[in-house]
Amino acid sequence: MSEAPSIKVTQLTKVFGKRTVVDRLDLEVFPGELYALLGDNGAGKTTTINMLTTLLKPTSGRFSISGFDGIADPERAKSGFAVVSQEVALYQELTAFENLMFVSRLYGLPKKGAIQRIEQHLRQWDLLSRRDDYVGDFSGGMQRKLSIAGALLRSPRVLFLDEPTVGLDPGSRQHIWEILTGLKHEGVTIFLTTHYLEEAELLADRVGIIVRGKLIAEGTIDDLRGRLNHMKSICVRMARRPDPQELESSLSRLRNFAFGEVSYDELRNTFSIALTSQGHLSETLRAVTDWIETEHIPITGVSTSEPSLEEIYLALSHEPSPPPKIEQSPVAPLSKDGK
Ligand SMILES: Nc1ncnc2c1ncn2[C@@H]1O[C@H](COP(=O)(O)OP(=O)(O)OP(=O)(O)O)[C@@H](O)[C@H]1O
Ligand SMILES: [Mg+2]
């Protein structure tokens, strides 16, 4: 990407006592991009967000937000971002309206139209009927929604959200997803952490996986999936059971066509092709369909399976270190005669 990053992090490190909690983190997030930082409990996600939002001083390293140096020029760095922290930070003894008015004043938003703007945000989060109720009496999910409304009140260009959908009902979660997608399309840069991998899969342009403070993998979900070819497979369900001789020749012909590990599951009467590390799912699928057509193989269906983000996350974050590098291997031929 040739554009300047909205968030640029270089060798960012935090040490608490003897423990390195964030370890030489390097990352960039570009305008209009949603980056999801994934990691187990205690991996260093909140510590990272706290440093990037200037709440916590890094031990070493640098970062900039919207081009402003977060360490040398924190005030200007702070001017363009908003944050929804993991712990809800609201005044319990103020009403919903008063909390948002406090935020509005804190950020010096125009006084003119402030009431209408706040009411509009409350309406958007289905909280207008609770406008004058004390936040201390709100449920956890309502407080979280109000925190997000407060962060969005200032129309930030960069938005940090630390586990924004914890404790929200499915409708509210969906609502946040829609709002975040809309913001992304308006060019807002979003950096979020989540333990809900379907949320990251749905929203994130890129994800980073942090393990004990180190970023061990990063990329689009497809990039990460590319590292886990052995978890991809194609399944061919046969219409009738092949006789043993037919099975042998089918298997050997399929091995000629397909680029992967071919096996036959007698119980399910299916052939499956597990990709090798250099295989390509779509090309292997094409080879398999060629085999079906040219050999007139009687089938009832073909299916492909790829790891979900959850499976990718578990495989990458729990694999023995060091993690494998993305291989830039040449496209392998599909069949022995180079078809
Ligand atoms: N102020 C602090 N003093 C000492 N250690 C701390 C401090 N804040 C965080 N830590 C430690 O840093 C590590 C990372 O914590 P952090 O809150 O960043 O994790 P996280 O990835 O956000 O986890 P979770 O998913 O549970 O929110 C943990 O081991 C935690 O105990
Ligand atoms: Mg956290």
Side-chain angles (χ1 to χ4, degrees):
M1 252 182 253
S2 56
E3 236 174 335
S6 309
I7 304 172
K8 183 171 169 60
V9 178
T10 314
Q11 296 284 294
L12 195 69
T13 299
K14 183 71 195 178
V15 180
F16 285 118
K18 285 190 179 155
R19 204 137 40 100
T20 304
V21 163
V22 175
D23 194 358
R24 289 164 289 162
L25 199 68
D26 283 323
L27 57 87
E28 292 184 335
V29 189
F30 292 87
E33 196 179 25
L34 191 148
Y35 187 101
L37 187 65
L38 313 177
D40 287 353
N41 293 131
K45 304 178 298 297
T46 298
T47 307
T48 300
I49 288 201
N50 286 348
M51 288 193 281
L52 297 182
T53 54
T54 72
L55 278 176
L56 189 67
K57 200 170 170 307
T59 307
S60 58
R62 311 199 68 77
F63 68 96
S64 68
I65 310 289
S66 307
F68 299 116
D69 190 305
I71 293 162
D73 197 0
E75 286 313 312
R76 283 214 281 180
K78 265 198 263 188
S79 62
F81 71 72
V83 54
V84 179
S85 48
Q86 187 168 6
E87 302 301 329
V88 169
L90 294 166
Y91 290 99
Q92 304 286 307
E93 64 284 9
L94 296 183
T95 66
F97 178 84
E98 287 166 345
N99 263 285
L100 293 194
M101 186 53 96
F102 176 81
V103 172
S104 178
R105 290 197 182 122
L106 184 69
Y107 293 119
L109 301 182
K111 286 193 181 123
K112 193 161 179 276
I115 296 176
Q116 291 80 350
R117 214 165 33 247
I118 290 170
E119 288 181 343
Q120 187 195 331
H121 275 79
L122 288 172
R123 189 177 302 112
Q124 195 180 30
W125 292 96
D126 212 13
L127 291 170
L128 191 58
S129 62
R130 307 295 299 265
R131 179 190 190 281
D132 299 315
D133 291 348
Y134 291 114
V135 164
D137 296 334
F138 279 16
S139 74
M142 288 161 67
Q143 294 201 20
R144 189 159 288 276
K145 289 199 275 182
L146 191 63
S147 306
I148 299 172
L152 295 181
L153 203 56
R154 57 191 300 214
S155 310
R157 299 307 300 159
V158 177
L159 181 62
F160 292 94
L161 304 115
D162 198 356
E163 299 190 34
T165 56
V166 167
L168 291 190
D169 60 61
S172 303
R173 187 170 292 173
Q174 182 89 34
H175 184 57
I176 293 194
W177 293 348
E178 282 162 17
I179 289 199
L180 294 182
T181 305
L183 291 171
K184 212 168 78 163
H185 290 145
E186 289 167 22
V188 175
T189 307
I190 302 170
F191 185 97
L192 65 77
T193 74
T194 182
H195 287 292
Y196 298 113
L197 298 183
E198 80 281 11
E199 178 168 292
E201 192 153 18
L202 189 73
L203 297 175
D205 298 300
R206 282 188 303 136
V207 300
I209 299 178
I210 185 171
V211 176
R212 290 184 292 279
K214 275 190 177 23
L215 197 67
I216 58 121
E218 187 188 57
T220 63
I221 292 171
D222 278 343
D223 289 339
L224 300 184
R225 214 173 251 136
R227 292 190 182 195
L228 298 167
N229 256 351
H230 60 283
M231 291 172 77
K232 298 178 186 172
S233 65
I234 296 169
C235 216
V236 180
R237 189 177 286 270
M238 305 297 286
R240 54 175 176 73
R241 215 159 268 281
D243 68 51
Q245 230 176 2
E246 196 188 343
L247 174 66
E248 223 12 79
S249 58
S250 275
L251 272 172
S252 65
R253 287 196 307 267
L254 180 55
R255 284 196 182 103
N256 271 352
F257 269 92
F259 193 80
E261 205 54 46
V262 179
S263 58
Y264 176 67
D265 178 343
E266 200 171 349
L267 193 67
R268 295 183 180 83
N269 193 21
T270 56
F271 285 101
S272 59
I273 302 101
L275 259 61
T276 59
S277 62
Q278 287 137 10
H280 288 261
L281 192 65
S282 55
E283 289 173 15
T284 308
L285 183 61
R286 217 171 300 132
V288 170
T289 46
D290 279 354
W291 167 70
I292 292 166
E293 267 176 36
T294 52
E295 307 276 325
H296 304 291
I297 307 291
I299 60 153
T300 58
V302 178
S303 60
T304 58
S305 118
E306 291 190 278
S308 65
L309 180 57
E310 182 149 336
E311 288 163 327
I312 294 172
Y313 172 77
L314 289 172
L316 291 178
S317 63
H318 294 96
E319 73 183 359
S321 54
K325 295 227 162 29
I326 292 180
E327 290 167 27
Q328 293 295 334
S329 36
V331 176
L334 288 174
S335 63
K336 281 182 182 157
D337 59 359
K339 260 186 232 167

